Amino acid sequence: MSESPSLGFILADYVAPTIGCILSTLTFSAPIKSLLTAIKSGSLGSLNCTPWAFMTGNTIGWLAYSFITLDLFVFFANAPGLLISIWLNTGAMKLQYYEELVKRSASDNNSNGGDDSISVQTAKIDCFSQLTSHELKVLQIVSIWVIILSTTSLIPVGKEEMKFIVGVAVNINLIFFYAAPLSTIATVIRTKNSASIHFWTMAMNTSNAFFWCVYSLAIQDYYILIPNGLGFVFGLLQVALYQCFPRSEVIEATDSVTELSGDEGDCTEQLTRSHYGNVSESEII
């Protein structure tokens, strides 16, 4: 008669990864509210969207890894995240285009002697003719994964070799995903303000990494353990920064970005009204 699974086995092999799946989705969802606020205001402000680009690469890589290892926990932890990351990145690109359109239209309006139609049209042509910084990051990360997955799929390699290649690649991507919020460390220290560190993303990342560490130790999968172990350490460092430098929002008045609302038309129409006197000053952020 076979022995029943121990409590430790159940907790490590089933409970921990189940919690990890839930926390992963919550982690991916954490920036949604902040992006909705940014869309409403028409500006990213201090919001750091770089982790969202790595989030897309991270979820693509782990989904591929789950197909290789047939690990349903890894699959369900990342499938919702891929969809969320696409929406987050698209929103960030829209806002960067809009901010550039606002800036260029204001500059062109001054140089064209106040000719409204020429200013807006010229600004639209200029800003849409080139990639935004975030758009470039997403394209680079997705291109790398297309090359990696195409290579491992089309070149005859064994399952273990495929697991190694994808595992190492996704480890590197996940390390950048966890460490991306630390890209603002210089700004945080200089300004003594942790506003650029997203609290809920930090909290979810740290908790999520802990539970995946428990699961990876239970199944002895070091491709999962190493990046999540580092992610847990990065999370603790972010917590330390967040505690040392309290968050304080700096609101700056500007005449170039208007509040987006459903009944005010599209961004270009709002832009034209805000620059050329068809809206009151109270509508300008």
Side-chain angles (χ1 to χ4, degrees), residues 109-164:
N109 182 46
N110 293 331
S111 62
N112 290 328
D115 192 327
D116 301 359
S117 59
I118 294 177
S119 299
V120 174
Q121 187 62 31
T122 302
K124 288 172 67 176
I125 293 174
D126 288 345
C127 71
F128 290 137
S129 63
Q130 54 188 291
L131 299 177
T132 65
S133 59
H134 191 71
E135 196 170 15
L136 184 59
K137 292 175 186 176
V138 173
L139 286 174
Q140 289 174 334
I141 292 173
V142 172
S143 297
I144 290 172
W145 274 109
V146 168
I147 294 172
I148 293 173
L149 297 181
S150 299
T151 302
T152 55
S153 299
L154 299 176
I155 296 177
V157 293
K159 181 178 179 179
E160 286 302 315
E161 288 78 8
M162 189 179 296
K163 179 180 177 181
F164 172 77

Side-chain angles (χ1 to χ4, degrees), residues 73-103:
F73 289 119
V74 175
F75 174 82
F76 285 111
N78 290 277
L82 178 59
L83 299 178
I84 294 171
S85 72
I86 292 173
W87 180 80
L88 290 171
N89 286 310
T90 303
M93 294 173 199
K94 289 178 181 178
L95 284 173
Q96 286 190 342
Y97 272 118
Y98 181 51
E99 290 172 344
E100 186 65 18
L101 179 61
V102 168
K103 184 171 65 175

Side-chain angles (χ1 to χ4, degrees), residues 2 11 30 89 92 98 104 111 117 130-131 151 155 217 223 235 240 251-252 265 269 272 278 282:
S2 60
L11 291 175
N89 286 310
Y98 181 51
R104 292 189 182 220
S111 62
S117 59
Q130 54 188 291
L131 299 177
T151 302
I155 296 177
L217 286 171
Y223 293 115
I251 302 176
E252 298 180 354
E269 293 172 352
T272 305
N278 293 332
S282 62

Side-chain angles (χ1 to χ4, degrees), residues 1 18 24 45-46 52 55 63 69 99 110 127 137 142-143 145 153 156 204 211 215 239 241 243 255-256:
M1 184 175 179
T18 299
S24 291
S46 62
W52 305 345
M55 184 191 299
L63 284 174
T69 60
E99 290 172 344
N110 293 331
C127 71
K137 292 175 186 176
V142 172
S143 297
W145 274 109
S153 299
M204 292 299 174
F211 282 103
Y215 175 63
V239 171
L241 281 174
Q243 292 297 320
D255 62 353
S256 51

Side-chain angles (χ1 to χ4, degrees), residues 7-258:
L7 178 60
F9 174 82
I10 294 174
L11 291 175
D13 284 59
Y14 293 99
V15 176
T18 299
I19 295 175
C21 288
I22 297 171
L23 288 177
S24 291
T25 301
L26 292 176
T27 298
F28 296 136
S29 304
I32 289 179
K33 183 177 180 181
S34 296
L35 179 58
L36 289 174
T37 301
I39 291 174
K40 185 177 180 180
S41 68
S43 174
L44 284 170
S46 62
L47 190 59
N48 181 15
C49 56
T50 299
W52 305 345
F54 288 106
M55 184 191 299
T56 299
N58 176 60
T59 51
I60 291 174
W62 282 116
L63 284 174
Y65 189 81
S66 71
F67 297 148
I68 298 171
T69 60
L70 301 179
D71 192 321
L72 289 177
F73 289 119
V74 175
F75 174 82
F76 285 111
N78 290 277
L82 178 59
L83 299 178
I84 294 171
S85 72
I86 292 173
W87 180 80
L88 290 171
N89 286 310
T90 303
M93 294 173 199
K94 289 178 181 178
L95 284 173
Q96 286 190 342
Y97 272 118
Y98 181 51
E99 290 172 344
E100 186 65 18
L101 179 61
V102 168
K103 184 171 65 175
R104 292 189 182 220
S105 64
S107 176
D108 291 343
N109 182 46
N110 293 331
S111 62
N112 290 328
D115 192 327
D116 301 359
S117 59
I118 294 177
S119 299
V120 174
Q121 187 62 31
T122 302
K124 288 172 67 176
I125 293 174
D126 288 345
C127 71
F128 290 137
S129 63
Q130 54 188 291
L131 299 177
T132 65
S133 59
H134 191 71
E135 196 170 15
L136 184 59
K137 292 175 186 176
V138 173
L139 286 174
Q140 289 174 334
I141 292 173
V142 172
S143 297
I144 290 172
W145 274 109
V146 168
I147 294 172
I148 293 173
L149 297 181
S150 299
T151 302
T152 55
S153 299
L154 299 176
I155 296 177
V157 293
K159 181 178 179 179
E160 286 302 315
E161 288 78 8
M162 189 179 296
K163 179 180 177 181
F164 172 77
I165 295 172
V166 175
V168 170
V170 80
N171 272 337
I172 296 172
N173 192 116
L174 187 58
I175 290 171
F176 279 108
F177 172 61
Y178 278 136
L182 293 178
S183 63
T184 58
I185 186 171
T187 302
V188 172
I189 294 176
R190 186 180 71 253
T191 62
K192 301 186 184 303
N193 181 8
S194 60
S196 57
I197 296 179
H198 191 269
F199 174 78
W200 287 111
T201 299
M202 172 189 67
M204 292 299 174
N205 271 345
T206 307
S207 303
N208 184 45
F210 171 76
F211 282 103
W212 283 107
C213 282
V214 174
Y215 175 63
S216 61
L217 286 171
I219 64 174
Q220 296 183 353
D221 190 325
Y222 297 102
Y223 293 115
I224 298 177
L225 175 62
I226 294 173
N228 282 286
L230 290 174
F232 183 63
V233 173
F234 286 146
L236 294 179
L237 289 175
Q238 292 174 55
V239 171
L241 281 174
Y242 197 84
Q243 292 297 320
C244 290
F245 304 107
R247 181 186 185 90
S248 60
E249 294 290 349
V250 178
I251 302 176
E252 298 180 354
T254 164
D255 62 353
S256 51
V257 180
T258 59

